[in-house]
């Protein structure tokens, strides 16, 4: 189809999705960029490009993709989450924590967001937040290892070694 019509509106996007599905991240990123050259407002292409860039270790470019998506749709949770992950990977923990909190205000049951919020809070040594997010995650999934690990770390940091040992 692209040989017949190189500017076909959905072909680059669909090829990107296929490349993404088989783990060909650079090929997928290239196709998402081509799709965006044809339709710069296509939210799904910004999200896809952001995800590919995360897999490629290009966190700055991923963050740019997610921020472009958020300019068009500030409440788009997938873009907010991608932005938070990119910030977290850049070790911009306070900014990532803020975005995770915004997401959790609207979607308190997001296990993936709670897991990442536990990790970021631990990096910030905000053990009250670790405990909060861990308790919320354990209420959803009682065997969540990231929650138990977070609680063990928080207890250890507070000098509560017996509790830390129990969590471990």
């Amino acid at each position: 189809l692209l040989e017949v019509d190189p500017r076909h509106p959905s072909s680059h996007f669909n090829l990107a999705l296929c490349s993404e599905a088989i783990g060909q991240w650079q090929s997928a990123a290239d196709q998402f960029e081509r799709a965006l050259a044809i339709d710069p407002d296509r939210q799904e292409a910004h999200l896809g490009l952001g995800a590919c860039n995360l897999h490629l270790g290009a966190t700055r470019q991923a963050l740019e993709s997610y921020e472009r998506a958020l300019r068009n749709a500030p409440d788009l949770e997938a873009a907010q989450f991608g932005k938070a992950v990119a910030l977290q990977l850049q070790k911009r923990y306070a900014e990532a924590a803020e975005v995770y909190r915004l997401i959790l205000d609207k979607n308190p049951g997001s296990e993936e967001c709670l897991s990442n919020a536990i990790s970021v809070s631990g990096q910030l040594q905000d053990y009250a937040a670790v405990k909060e997010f861990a308790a919320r995650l354990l209420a959803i999934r009682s065997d969540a290892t990231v929650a138990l690990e977070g609680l063990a770390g928080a207890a250890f940091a507070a000098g509560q070694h017996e509790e830390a040992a129990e969590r471990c």
Side-chain angles (χ1 to χ4, degrees):
L1 179 56
L2 287 171
E3 288 176 15
V4 174
D5 184 1
R7 293 198 45 86
H8 187 272
S10 295
S11 294
H12 289 289
F13 179 76
N14 290 337
L15 181 54
L17 290 177
C18 292
S19 295
E20 187 179 39
I22 58 175
Q24 294 181 350
W25 304 111
Q26 187 58 60
S27 176
D30 293 343
Q31 292 302 321
F32 281 127
E33 287 176 354
R34 289 184 183 112
L36 287 166
I38 295 167
D39 183 3
D41 294 326
R42 189 166 191 161
Q43 295 294 59
E44 301 91 351
H46 287 292
L47 295 175
L49 182 57
C52 289
N53 282 323
L54 285 177
H55 282 279
L56 292 167
T59 57
R60 184 183 55 78
Q61 293 90 333
L63 184 57
E64 290 170 5
S65 293
Y66 292 124
E67 287 180 339
R68 278 192 294 262
L70 289 167
R71 277 194 288 270
N72 295 331
D75 292 329
L76 186 61
E77 185 175 317
Q80 291 172 334
F81 185 79
K83 177 181 178 175
V85 170
L87 291 167
Q88 183 176 355
L89 290 172
Q90 291 177 356
K91 300 183 185 207
R92 295 165 60 182
Y93 301 122
E95 293 170 82
E98 182 179 325
V99 178
Y100 287 132
R101 279 196 181 276
L102 290 172
I103 296 168
L104 288 167
D105 285 346
K106 291 181 263 177
N107 184 3
S110 171
E111 290 182 40
E112 194 170 26
C113 194
L114 284 165
S115 294
N116 288 8
I118 292 166
S119 176
V120 165
S121 298
Q123 290 293 329
L124 292 169
Q125 299 180 351
D126 181 353
Y127 298 113
V130 168
K131 288 179 182 181
E132 172 197 343
F133 295 131
R136 289 169 60 178
L137 182 54
L138 288 171
I140 297 167
R141 193 165 46 88
S142 62
D143 64 344
T145 57
V146 69
L148 296 170
E149 183 180 35
L151 289 173
F156 185 80
Q160 299 166 340
H161 299 116
E162 188 172 312
E163 180 182 342
E166 287 174 23
R167 295 292 181 182
C168 288

